[in-house]
Amino acid sequence: MQRLTAYLKGFNTRKALRLTNARILSQIFFFAVFIFSIWATWTSRLGGYPVSRILEMDPLVMIATMLSTGYVYRYLGWGILIIGVTLLFGRVFCNWICPYGTLHQFVGWLFNIGNAKSRIDENRYRGIYFLKYGILTVFLLMASMGALQIGLLDPICLMYRTFATVVTPATDMVIDQASLTANGMALDTVWLDNMKFKPGVNSRVFVGSFWIGLVIVGLVGMNIIIPRFFCRVLCPLGALLGVFSRFSLFRINRDVHKCTDCNLCLSRCEGAADPQGKLRLSECFSCMNCIDDCPEDALSFSMVKLDTKQVVPGPDMSRRRLVFAGILGLLAYPFIKNHGVNTNENFSPKLMRPPGSVEENAFLSKCIKCDQCINACPTNVLQPATYQEAGLEGLWTPVMNFKIGHCQLKCTLCSEVCPTGAIRKITVEEKLGKGTYTEEGPIRLGTAFFDVGRCLPHAMEIPCVVCEEVCPTSPKAIQTKDEEAKDVYGNIVVLNKPFMVPDLCIGCGICENECPVKDQRAVYVTAVGESRSDERKLLLKSRGEVA
Amino acid sequence: MNRRTFFRRISTVGGIAGAATYLAAAPENWPLSLRDKSGLRSVPQHTPFSLRDYRVEKPFGKPDVGIGRQGTPQEKLMAALDAIGGIKHYVQPGDIVLLKPNVAFDRAPNLGATSNPELVELIIKMLLVDCRAQEVRVADNPIESPADCFEKSKVRFATEKGGGRVYLPDSNAFKMLNTPGAELIEHWWFFQRPFTNVDKVIGLAPVKDHNLCHASMGIKNWYGLLGGTRNQFHQDIHGIVSDLSIMIRPTMTILDGTHILMQNGPTGGDPSNVKPGHTVIASVDPVASDAWAFEHLLERGRDYPQYLFKAEEKGSGSINWDGRIRIV
């Protein structure tokens, strides 16, 4: 009680309402919105909620896809909002909204405990911080030629990707264990199971997700060496906003008459923006820490005119550096395109894209590797592509792995959450080729084939036909020929030998998924015959109604 | 170092070393021994559990199979249940009841591949209101994504409307079940979690075409409680289906003959494969009711699937339904 009254006496309204506290609230809010978006991206929770909105608000996604495709897809215009905010207040996005920025700041706050002097030194501007502008130049030049790679480093894409493939399965694994232990103590944990990111399914796995996890651990870990390493050195979105922030109305202003050059404003400066000297406007995250830390009250966030004696307005990007980055960008495009792993002649048979995907070249100019589709997929069939399937250019883009799951007939969730239209929004009607889409026919993801040397009825005279049973088309694309045979033990067995009707196959992969020849399936789907591409077609035409 | 310290140190080190040596080297059957001479001791063992028999003796003089063919689905259900003695005879107040519909595929209810949600809701309400059951659980391990199957088949909505609770197959929902006398599944992974403390079990199965075993009805419905690599069982489909009839001894089996999937089963996919059946069956002899449904609902005569004969051999009921049914 005494403590409480003492606390209330000491409570200072002005202190409590200071900008840094507002900032922390904003960061908590947007981080919670981000987690909630990830959580709500699940088949039983999606009810038309804008779960990809944070991606759609990302102006780098808007600008880069506009350069690569010439158009602005669906909700990507939301990016203008963040540009508008930047034009008013500078790079507030980085320190008030960005969930990745929040994560970095939080980790730095936890682990970077040095004395005031070392922290001041850590937060001085360094030459290497120009690098992000170089990265941005390279990415934007590549995008303007049609190779979209921003997703590798865009913080929002990176965050969504990491949560989809690394964080959510890990969290669910922990909850599963906790729930199992609680069940052992006769506690009812159904509510806890329903709280999981992905309730009611087997543990989800993501091929190669180790590397995605390693990237985030590495980048976040770098905070210990250079605070906000990613944000200061690598972030292309921060760089883009840094370009815009020179026009911002508000900025940090130092009253040179009050300033005693004590450098304390550097002790928690997130952006390394030199508030103690000439403020580097394009580096400043508007975190407001310097205002708190100034013992003389010399700093304020105010609307003052741009004075180049007090402020370095633009990025630290000389003309030479810009030309050098430009040359790298121009080279990167042919380098990555001529790598030859994902062309119409030499594409991997395993390169099967989710339903609604546009033709492969257009796909690569739209996909930002955010992996929201993978997050939404209820069967775990969508996987981040490895080098083997999609080459360097398509790394971590979505591919289907039918050993892990299958594409559910009446599901179009991936197309609903895709922010960029790499997977175009489709309806179930369009996917199945019903109603107004009868003429186009169903969307085909690939074609199934039999490996008769491994198929139980074909090669070993053992009955099976799980593939026929689960084939979802009507009439079934896998049918059977009934044959009576005498096996090597002298038993008379009736074999329903399965065979394929390619005209009916939609490439959903449930046959491959359910095939009991588990290591190398006796029925398997490959990409040829996919309906999104004229170049990768198989059949000239459908042969008509099945008799 | 004086003598006292020396002895103290020596005895501490000696004690720790001695204890460690005992743990590591004592014969396996000695208490606390950690020794694993063959390497087999460290192989994980799954202690199997057993299911109890959920059957209830039917009232004297009642038939084994009640068939409702008149009026609304509710009237058909009531008629079928009343014929075998009324549901209140089978479920006591305070019971926890597990209802097992067939929700194997991500299909709309009118395609006949899944249990009719209307019946799911009716049965749950009946159990909770008329029988005053404590709790009704609805569980299935579908072939496609569980959440979607329950959603699109409308079974989740019906369950929640009726006041029941859906159990989805989480990765930790399975335990090793021991079924004595089974050919293939003497020890097999079973969707155990919803069975915790359950008193009564009711199966609610659609009547469907099935290429390999000819028909999927009341007994085949229990396939949806298996875990593990269950797709191997197609190598002996009649063996496994007859095993299912002894794996679980349900309180009753209700056959949903409202939408009958006549062809392209068990997935269906087109309304033209479905025929209205206007029938609900309640049965305490799953073999007899399957046989009747095969003959009269799927209209395939008396050339019964082999698994029914095998189930009869295993003592799960008898095919000959003559004189043991009542059609209302």
Side-chain angles (χ1 to χ4, degrees):
Chain A
M1 199 61 215
Q2 263 177 342
R3 271 176 137 183
L4 187 70
T5 43
Y7 173 77
L8 286 175
K9 260 185 203 159
F11 188 79
N12 179 333
T13 321
R14 240 198 109 197
K15 230 179 150 188
L17 287 178
R18 62 192 195 272
L19 278 169
T20 41
N21 278 353
R23 188 205 76 216
I24 290 168
L25 283 181
S26 164
Q27 285 180 294
I28 292 172
F29 172 76
F30 282 104
F31 200 83
V33 167
F34 167 74
I35 299 286
F36 182 75
S37 305
I38 295 281
W39 183 85
T41 310
W42 182 242
T43 169
S44 54
R45 297 178 185 136
L46 273 168
Y49 296 114
V51 289
S52 304
R53 185 65 85 241
I54 301 181
L55 282 159
E56 287 153 354
M57 275 169 36
D58 181 337
L60 182 60
V61 172
M62 176 182 77
I63 290 177
T65 54
M66 197 172 71
L67 286 173
S68 63
T69 66
Y71 295 94
V72 178
Y73 180 71
R74 259 175 115 201
Y75 300 116
L76 289 182
W78 276 80
I80 293 168
L81 183 74
I82 298 298
I83 295 179
V85 169
T86 311
L87 292 178
L88 286 176
F89 302 112
R91 276 173 74 180
V92 282
F93 176 82
C94 301
N95 224 90
W96 288 61
I97 298 173
C98 180
Y100 201 36
T102 303
L103 178 67
H104 282 285
Q105 188 177 7
F106 184 69
V107 169
W109 177 76
L110 273 181
F111 296 107
N112 275 344
I113 34 171
N115 56 29
K117 180 159 186 319
S118 73
R119 279 192 285 145
I120 287 170
D121 287 339
E122 276 174 348
N123 291 333
R124 285 185 199 279
Y125 182 78
R126 297 183 207 194
I128 189 71
Y129 296 170
F130 87 93
L131 192 64
K132 57 182 174 291
Y133 299 101
I135 290 172
L136 177 71
T137 313
V138 172
F139 279 168
L140 288 185
L141 263 174
M142 286 171 76
S144 63
M145 291 180 281
L148 193 66
Q149 291 297 323
I150 56 151
L152 287 176
L153 283 179
D154 179 281
I156 308 295
C157 299
L158 205 152
M159 198 71 169
Y160 266 91
R161 177 169 69 238
T162 311
F163 268 72
T165 62
V166 182
V167 180
T168 58
T171 313
D172 286 353
M173 205 180 233
V174 173
I175 296 181
D176 267 346
Q177 266 315 312
S179 163
L180 203 60
T181 316
N183 284 168
M185 299 185 289
L187 292 171
D188 185 349
T189 54
V190 171
W191 65 271
L192 183 65
D193 296 326
N194 289 338
M195 289 300 291
K196 288 199 303 190
F197 280 105
K198 315 291 167 195
V201 286
N202 254 307
S203 310
R204 290 151 67 88
V205 292
F206 296 99
V207 176
S209 59
F210 175 83
W211 303 110
I212 297 175
L214 195 67
V215 165
I216 201 163
V217 169
L219 290 177
V220 173
M222 277 301 287
N223 274 298
I224 295 166
I225 299 160
I226 298 178
R228 300 293 292 260
F229 167 79
F230 177 84
C231 312
R232 292 178 186 178
V233 183
L234 298 177
C235 183
L237 175 57
L240 180 75
L241 297 177
V243 173
F244 286 116
S245 71
R246 75 150 71 200
F247 306 107
S248 69
L249 283 181
F250 285 79
R251 65 173 169 88
I252 297 289
N253 183 37
R254 183 170 59 109
D255 185 340
V256 286
H257 303 295
K258 284 184 184 171
C259 178
T260 59
D261 291 330
C262 68
N263 285 348
L264 282 175
C265 51
L266 278 176
S267 54
R268 290 188 298 143
C269 177
E270 292 294 322
D274 283 352
Q276 87 292 0
K278 274 175 97 174
L279 179 78
R280 293 176 179 271
L281 200 47
S282 58
E283 303 301 309
C284 176
F285 298 165
S286 309
C287 71
M288 315 295 173
N289 281 340
C290 53
I291 301 178
D292 271 11
D293 290 340
C294 181
E296 310 295 335
D297 228 357
L299 291 165
S300 63
F301 189 64
S302 44
M303 199 156 42
V304 277
K305 86 172 212 293
L306 195 76
D307 175 357
T308 46
K309 277 188 198 128
Q310 287 182 31
V311 170
V312 183
D316 184 12
M317 197 65 181
S318 65
R319 204 170 297 158
R320 265 167 208 277
R321 282 175 172 174
L322 195 65
V323 170
F324 185 71
I327 292 171
L328 282 184
L330 289 174
L331 284 176
Y333 179 77
F335 274 28
I336 211 165
K337 281 289 177 192
N338 297 343
H339 194 58
V341 176
N342 188 2
T343 65
N344 280 334
E345 289 70 41
N346 187 33
F347 61 96
S348 162
K350 290 180 174 174
L351 188 83
M352 286 163 289
R353 297 295 191 188
S357 295
V358 291
E359 181 277 323
E360 184 62 17
N361 245 319
F363 185 90
L364 291 171
S365 73
K366 287 181 170 181
C367 179
I368 51 171
K369 310 163 191 255
C370 67
D371 292 358
Q372 252 297 64
C373 47
I374 292 176
N375 190 26
C377 179
T379 70
N380 201 194
V381 63
L382 279 184
Q383 296 286 324
T386 60
Y387 174 79
Q388 195 202 357
E389 291 125 12
L392 273 176
E393 193 183 1
L395 186 69
W396 298 333
T397 55
V399 291
M400 310 203 119
N401 185 329
F402 294 128
K403 281 181 88 172
I404 298 174
H406 72 281
C407 183
Q408 215 155 255
L409 199 64
K410 302 206 170 164
C411 173
T412 56
L413 291 180
C414 50
S415 87
E416 267 160 57
V417 300
C418 178
T420 63
I423 313 171
R424 200 169 41 81
K425 176 152 172 37
I426 53 168
T427 57
V428 175
E429 204 180 44
E430 183 175 358
K431 185 179 176 187
L432 303 183
K434 297 250 167 85
T436 47
Y437 297 94
T438 318
E439 206 158 294
E440 287 92 336
I443 291 175
R444 299 170 199 278
L445 308 169
T447 311
F449 294 86
F450 278 98
D451 185 345
V452 288
R454 297 178 68 85
C455 175
L456 300 180
H458 277 288
M460 305 164 208
E461 293 170 331
I462 297 168
C464 180
V465 293
V466 186
C467 50
E468 185 267 356
E469 173 180 333
V470 293
C471 180
T473 62
S474 177
K476 285 175 186 283
I478 295 178
Q479 304 195 353
T480 56
K481 259 188 227 126
D482 294 358
E483 245 174 58
E484 210 162 87
K486 196 180 194 184
D487 71 12
V488 69
Y489 298 99
N491 305 316
I492 302 289
V493 282
V494 180
L495 299 169
N496 311 84
K497 290 189 172 173
F499 64 93
M500 271 294 309
V501 187
D503 320 52
L504 297 172
C505 181
I506 53 173
C508 73
I510 193 170
C511 49
E512 177 173 350
N513 189 235
E514 291 290 330
C515 178
V517 191
K518 287 196 92 170
D519 56 342
Q520 188 181 315
R521 312 283 159 118
V523 58
Y524 58 95
V525 180
T526 65
V528 72
E530 54 178 18
S531 55
R532 68 185 177 123
S533 163
D534 289 335
E535 307 286 329
R536 302 182 187 188
K537 259 166 65 170
L538 179 64
L539 300 182
L540 181 64
K541 55 177 184 168
S542 179
R543 291 168 293 177
E545 296 280 302
V546 172
Chain B
M1 186 183 286
N2 58 26
R3 189 180 296 146
R4 186 180 291 264
T5 335
F6 173 76
F7 280 123
R8 197 182 291 150
R9 287 234 191 132
I10 283 291
S11 54
T12 314
V13 171
I16 292 171
T21 313
Y22 175 83
L23 289 176
E28 291 184 10
N29 52 353
W30 290 20
L32 295 179
S33 163
L34 298 178
R35 188 146 188 252
D36 182 12
K37 196 179 169 195
S38 60
L40 292 173
R41 242 184 121 187
S42 48
V43 174
Q45 299 288 321
H46 303 286
T47 10
F49 75 102
S50 303
L51 276 181
R52 43 172 283 217
D53 189 337
Y54 297 102
R55 284 178 293 191
V56 172
E57 192 70 31
K58 66 172 176 174
F60 180 75
K62 295 282 182 187
D64 288 320
V65 183
I67 300 164
R69 306 200 88 170
Q70 304 284 331
T72 62
Q74 183 167 16
E75 286 162 357
K76 286 179 209 136
L77 177 66
M78 292 299 291
L81 286 169
D82 287 344
I84 59 167
I87 190 143
K88 280 198 220 170
H89 171 79
Y90 294 93
V91 178
Q92 265 63 54
D95 278 356
I96 298 178
V97 185
L98 182 107
L99 181 65
K100 160 67 177 79
N102 184 333
V103 197
F105 297 99
D106 172 18
R107 298 285 183 280
N110 66 328
L111 296 175
T114 50
S115 292
N116 185 347
E118 196 184 345
L119 287 180
V120 172
E121 190 192 329
L122 283 172
I123 294 169
I124 295 175
K125 281 191 175 154
M126 207 179 273
L127 291 168
L128 290 173
V129 179
D130 301 347
C131 308
R132 285 185 286 136
Q134 182 189 332
E135 188 187 336
V136 180
R137 300 175 185 168
V138 176
D140 193 15
N141 179 21
I143 291 174
E144 303 197 78
S145 147
D148 280 324
C149 294
F150 272 93
E151 203 71 39
K152 307 259 175 67
S153 65
K154 305 256 192 303
V155 171
R156 189 185 68 85
F157 180 72
T159 305
E160 279 164 15
K161 207 168 155 212
R165 194 153 86 166
V166 170
Y167 276 65
L168 295 178
D170 280 291
S171 41
N172 56 9
F174 293 87
K175 275 193 183 157
M176 187 62 77
L177 172 68
N178 174 24
T179 305
E183 286 173 71
L184 302 167
I185 48 168
E186 193 169 354
H187 293 103
W188 197 261
W189 293 106
F190 182 85
F191 186 11
Q192 184 272 341
R193 206 159 181 204
F195 278 81
T196 317
N197 300 327
V198 153
D199 301 296
K200 301 286 154 59
V201 174
I202 298 176
L204 172 61
V207 177
K208 306 200 280 181
D209 164 57
H210 193 288
N211 182 358
L212 190 60
C213 67
H214 308 300
S216 167
M217 299 172 290
I219 302 176
K220 174 76 168 61
N221 182 33
W222 302 112
Y223 202 89
L225 294 176
L226 297 177
T229 51
R230 58 180 178 176
N231 51 5
Q232 289 172 7
F233 291 132
H234 284 61
Q235 293 165 39
D236 183 3
I237 194 79
H238 298 291
I240 184 67
V241 179
S242 55
D243 270 1
L244 292 173
S245 73
I246 58 170
M247 173 183 83
I248 185 157
R249 305 292 196 177
T251 316
M252 72 168 70
T253 303
I254 297 175
L255 286 183
D256 162 17
T258 51
H259 303 288
I260 298 170
L261 186 61
M262 302 296 285
Q263 64 198 40
N264 215 48
T267 51
D270 199 279
S272 66
N273 303 327
V274 180
K275 191 182 142 183
H278 306 297
T279 309
V280 176
I281 303 173
S283 153
V284 291
D285 180 344
V287 180
S289 49
D290 274 9
W292 190 88
F294 185 79
E295 203 174 325
H296 293 91
L297 298 181
L298 285 168
E299 299 164 10
R300 302 203 172 165
R302 293 209 166 187
D303 190 10
Y304 299 127
Q306 199 198 336
Y307 67 75
L308 284 182
F309 296 101
K310 292 188 96 170
E312 193 175 48
E313 268 169 43
K314 289 177 184 175
S316 306
S318 51
I319 292 176
N320 186 4
W321 44 264
D322 256 345
R324 300 198 292 133
I325 65 165
R326 180 178 301 158
I327 302 178
V328 188

